[in-house]
């Protein structure tokens, strides 16, 4: 049995909690995109973690956690996370790092600052876009290169020669030396070098032997580099369509594709957000929902649930089921709004536009439904949920035509109702 956990909004849907919960029964958990721009909040035995690179399988002793190709890896952050988890768990997480994943080098972060793209696009400033750009330009350093220092050195020398020509006046670039960069990376990555290997072979073997494999998506569908609100996106494929390519397995047989979405919406960084709210309402959602970035600490913009975007994301991922998170945050609202369609140039549309500029002009058309007063975070049995919560869930299911299989009413693993 294999499962993919996919974010259906602009990231921060609560994938970390759901993956951590389901990873308990997994033999292998695979992260397949992005890098330390992700921040997955996990509560393990009462301790809260914001993980950036290590998949949720790391919390279980018999589970292999794979950082697959398709990812970009900052070894300084990975090492820190590995140490932190080892201390918490009392053992070292079992990791496999794909030899063909790419390394985020210190100059990638420098480039993001020098170019000003971090500011312009509201990125996480973790060097993500410059690393993916180097990968496509064939100027990247791959994880496996660290096992062949002579090759890594030659690649670094080539990359630095280009960079120094591009940035003649930047002291941060001119001062770089391939030898010291490599030495530094090798020292940081030293305890993890034995974890480097062929991820495709391992995943393929696990799947053909009917092991329980989970795929952990990072970011959300609307941040996908091809299908999101470009250019206000991340630089990787965040959807199920990107999974096969990332892991190197054609048409992967993933039985369950669970799309995770929040009962409302958030976005961090720049870019259009049709259902955004402001003032006291925004403040209330942000404070109650703890809507601050796990990676950057930035306050997230908040808004109502957007069914146009949700339907689009579900279709792109071929979701077989859904998980709704943070329903408890909506307790105490007299009424709850849901965007059913957009008004664009005087016309109603239920199509999510591919252009960020068009999305910017879309105005939400809302359905207003009854809210609920009761706090629901202690409820563990669906039949005890207030009728208006159940009505909200039914409304969403009817609108998107995919069942909600998981209902999350709080951050801890216990605050979850899994429906049959
Ligand atoms: P980058 O991935 O750092 O290049 O950032 C590009 C955009 O994606 C920015 O708007 C970021 O805020 C957003 N982003 C990247 N990763 C995440 C995430 O894990 N959650 C939410 N937003 C993210």
């Amino acid at each position: 049995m294999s499962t993919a956990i996919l974010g259906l909004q602009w990231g921060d849907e609560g994938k970390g909690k759901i993956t951590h919960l389901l990873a308990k029964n997994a033999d292998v958990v695979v992260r397949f995109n992005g890098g330390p721009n992700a921040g997955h909040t996990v509560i393990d035995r009462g301790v809260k973690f914001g993980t950036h690179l290590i998949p949720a399988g790391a919390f279980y002793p018999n589970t292999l956690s794979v950082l697959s190709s398709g990812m970009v890896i900052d070894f300084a952050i990975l090492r820190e996370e590995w140490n932190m988890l080892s201390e918490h768990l009392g053992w070292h997480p079992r990791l496999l790092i794909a030899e063909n994943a790419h390394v985020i080098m210190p100059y990638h972060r420098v480039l993001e600052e020098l170019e000003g793209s971090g500011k312009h696009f509201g990125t996480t400033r973790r060097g993500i876009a410059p690393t993916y750009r180097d990968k496509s330009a064939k100027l990247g350093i791959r994880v496996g290169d660290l096992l062949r220092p002579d090759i890594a050195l030659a690649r670094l020398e080539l990359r630095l020669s280009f960079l120094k020509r591009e940035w003649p006046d930047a002291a941060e670039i001119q001062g770089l030396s391939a030898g010291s960069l490599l030495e530094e990376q090798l020292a940081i990555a030293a305890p993890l070098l034995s974890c480097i290997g062929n991820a495709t072979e391992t995943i393929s073997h696990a799947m053909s032997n009917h092991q329980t494999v989970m795929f952990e998506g990072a970011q959300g569908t609307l941040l996908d580099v091809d299908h999101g609100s470009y250019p206000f996106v991340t630089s990787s494929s965040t959807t199920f369509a990107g999974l096969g390519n990332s892991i190197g397995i054609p048409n992967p047989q993933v039985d369950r594709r669970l799309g995770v979405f929040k009962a409302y919406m958030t976005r961090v960084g720049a870019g259009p957000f049709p259902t955004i709210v402001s003032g006291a309402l925004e403040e209330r959602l942000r404070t109650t929902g703890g809507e601050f970035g796990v990676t950057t600490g930035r306050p997230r913009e908040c808004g109502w649930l957007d069914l146009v975007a949700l339907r689009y994301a579900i279709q792109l991922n071929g979701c077989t089921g859904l998980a709704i998170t943070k329903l408890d945050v909506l307790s105490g609202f007299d009424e709850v709004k849901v965007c059913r369609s957009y008004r664009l140039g005087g016309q109603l549309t239920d199509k999510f536009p591919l252009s960020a500029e068009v999305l910017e002009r879309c105005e939400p058309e809302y359905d207003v439904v009854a809210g609920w007063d009761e706090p629901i975070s202690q409820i563990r049995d669906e039949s005890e949920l207030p009728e208006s919560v159940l009505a909200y869930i039914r409304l969403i299911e009817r609108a998107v035509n995919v069942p909600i299989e998981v209902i999350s009413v709080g951050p801890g693993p216990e605050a979850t109702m899994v429906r049959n």
Side-chain angles (χ1 to χ4, degrees), residues 10-12 37-39 121-124 128 219 223 233-234 268-270 298:
W10 277 292
D12 310 317
N37 46 351
F121 295 112
T123 72
T124 58
I128 304 296
Q219 290 84 43
L223 288 172
V233 292
T234 188
V268 62
R298 291 177 293 177

Side-chain angles (χ1 to χ4, degrees), residues 95-166:
L95 295 191
L96 169 61
I97 312 168
E99 57 188 295
N100 50 347
H102 277 247
V103 181
I104 301 179
M105 299 296 293
Y107 51 78
H108 288 125
R109 278 195 191 209
V110 173
L111 283 175
E112 210 169 353
E113 294 309 317
L114 284 175
E115 291 165 355
S117 58
K119 202 165 169 194
H120 184 74
F121 295 112
T123 72
T124 58
R125 300 181 177 208
R126 294 277 172 118
I128 304 296
T131 309
Y132 278 109
R133 184 173 65 200
D134 274 3
K135 165 178 163 172
S136 296
K138 304 173 285 286
L139 291 170
I141 309 299
R142 305 214 292 185
V143 168
D145 296 342
L146 298 180
L147 299 178
R148 293 173 289 270
D150 50 328
I151 293 180
L153 189 64
R155 290 207 209 293
L156 273 169
E157 276 168 351
L158 179 71
R159 182 64 190 111
L160 290 190
S161 71
F162 287 11
L163 271 182
K164 287 184 181 180
R165 256 183 282 148
E166 283 162 32

Side-chain angles (χ1 to χ4, degrees), residues 300-317:
R300 299 176 185 142
E301 315 263 32
C302 299
W304 296 115
L305 181 64
D306 181 342
L307 292 176
V308 180
L310 188 63
R311 272 193 298 262
Y312 171 70
I314 288 172
Q315 182 203 336
L316 267 177
N317 288 291

Side-chain angles (χ1 to χ4, degrees), residues 54-74:
I54 296 190
F59 290 92
Y60 306 103
N62 300 322
T63 308
L64 177 68
S65 287
V66 181
L67 288 82
S68 86
S69 46
M71 283 190 71
V72 289
I73 293 168
D74 184 323

Side-chain angles (χ1 to χ4, degrees), residues 173-228:
I173 298 289
Q174 294 301 321
L176 293 173
S177 118
S180 359
L181 275 172
L182 180 59
E183 218 173 281
E184 188 186 295
Q185 286 300 306
L186 288 174
I188 293 170
L192 299 169
L193 292 177
S194 60
C195 303
I196 298 172
N198 187 323
T200 298
E201 254 173 37
T202 302
I203 301 166
S204 187
H205 182 263
M207 289 182 84
S208 41
N209 283 290
H210 307 290
Q211 291 187 358
T212 303
V213 181
M214 274 191 57
F215 296 98
E216 176 178 341
Q219 290 84 43
T221 300
L222 306 179
L223 288 172
D224 184 275
V225 65
D226 292 300
H227 305 288

Side-chain angles (χ1 to χ4, degrees), residues 342-349 361 363 365:
Y342 297 148
R343 186 166 290 280
L344 177 63
Q347 304 280 319
L348 281 183
T349 175
R361 288 190 278 114
E363 287 173 24
E365 286 285 314

Side-chain angles (χ1 to χ4, degrees), residues 363-393:
E363 287 173 24
E365 286 285 314
Y366 287 117
D367 278 352
V368 181
V369 299
W372 52 92
D373 261 343
E374 308 85 326
I376 58 171
S377 56
Q378 299 305 320
I379 295 180
R380 302 289 175 262
D381 181 341
E382 186 188 333
S383 63
E384 290 169 20
L385 285 170
E387 177 46 35
S388 36
V389 176
L390 294 170
Y392 188 57
I393 290 173

